[in-house]
Amino acid sequence: DLDAVPGDGRSDIWRQTLRGVGLLPLAETGCLDTGTVTSFRAPAGARMTMVQARGQSFAFSAPGKAPGPLVLLLVLSGRGRIVAPSKAFELADADLVVVAPEAGVQVEMRGDFSILLLDLSRSAVEARVGRNRAGFPVVLGGTVAASAARPVLRTLAMNLDTLGAGDFAAAEVAVTELVSGALLAELRGNGHERTDSQMANFRRVAAAVNRRLGEAGLSIQDVARDEGL
């Protein structure tokens, strides 16, 4: 928390903190009167980070020769912009984006903001998506799967300080499945189609996932089976 750091040392501490969670600050100076980074790293290595600050721009740390995990970005609050070599788009509350860190993506947040970042297993996502190749970053729109993932991520963000390994593992599996399904729908071109039946199913699934986050080994298949889907 920058409030606990003397003013003359805030810039260096803030930049070091961002680098420590895989983010590369782009500006030498910024709005550093307030800022908080909360991070959780699972025993298996996956990381979840919440950044709350004002007026920040950053890129993602690219791994070595082998591609590392994808990053899921949820805008909890605030507005900004994502810029990639071949595309750019605005960000607003509840926007959910899948990013490949090695793709040269920059995030530019304006004013006060809060974002949540979650590592996603690249191999798990690619196994689900198959031959449908994504041109990251990809915004996940109004699919049932994306809508179900958002409340789970918000619940994790609210409990990040007290999150246990078991809760995180169960949520990670569920979110990976949901995001993979949403990504596949976007790549197939039907990312904004939802029927009344799908919306009813979504509400049931979202409620069930939130209710069962503490169950070890929970998967989206378990939830779907128990909900009769």
Side-chain angles (χ1 to χ4, degrees):
D1 189 333
L2 280 180
D3 291 339
V5 179
D8 56 357
R10 287 184 174 183
S11 179
D12 289 341
I13 294 296
W14 182 250
R15 293 168 70 83
Q16 291 172 15
T17 301
L18 290 180
R19 289 193 184 98
V21 294
L23 301 175
L24 301 176
L26 298 178
E28 288 299 325
T29 58
C31 301
L32 297 180
D33 53 329
T34 183
T36 302
V37 174
T38 308
S39 187
F40 174 88
R41 185 178 282 277
R47 179 172 53 205
M48 173 177 282
T49 302
M50 182 166 59
V51 180
Q52 298 167 293
R54 179 179 299 134
Q56 298 287 317
S57 297
F58 53 83
F60 295 87
S61 298
K65 294 181 179 179
L70 299 169
V71 176
L72 181 65
L73 185 156
L74 173 66
V75 181
L76 298 168
S77 64
R79 294 185 176 275
R81 191 167 184 251
I82 273 193
V83 180
S86 60
K87 59 179 121 176
F89 45 83
E90 292 294 307
L91 293 174
D93 291 5
D95 277 348
L96 191 59
V97 189
V98 182
V99 176
E102 73 276 8
V105 175
Q106 298 181 5
V107 178
E108 303 167 357
M109 299 302 296
R110 302 184 295 269
D112 293 334
F113 71 89
S114 178
I115 59 173
L116 186 70
L117 304 163
L118 172 64
D119 288 349
L120 290 177
S121 167
R122 189 182 296 253
S123 60
V125 173
E126 290 178 345
R128 180 75 167 80
V129 173
R131 296 182 179 180
N132 299 271
R133 298 187 63 83
F136 297 111
V138 175
V139 179
L140 303 180
T143 64
V144 173
S147 297
R150 290 184 179 93
V152 177
L153 291 166
R154 288 187 179 276
T155 298
L156 291 172
M158 291 171 58
N159 296 280
L160 198 52
D161 285 331
T162 57
L163 191 62
D167 287 341
F168 179 83
E172 182 188 14
V173 171
V175 169
T176 299
E177 290 287 343
L178 291 169
V179 168
S180 297
L183 184 58
L184 185 58
E186 294 291 340
L187 298 178
R188 289 176 174 172
N190 62 344
H192 299 279
E193 298 175 3
R194 284 188 291 189
T195 65
D196 290 341
S197 176
Q198 285 177 322
M199 283 302 300
N201 288 337
F202 144 65
R203 285 190 287 269
R204 288 167 54 199
V205 170
V209 170
N210 275 323
R211 187 173 62 249
R212 300 176 59 183
L213 277 179
E215 295 183 18
L218 178 66
S219 71
I220 196 63
Q221 289 92 343
D222 294 333
V223 174
R225 183 186 61 250
D226 294 346
E227 295 300 316
L229 301 177

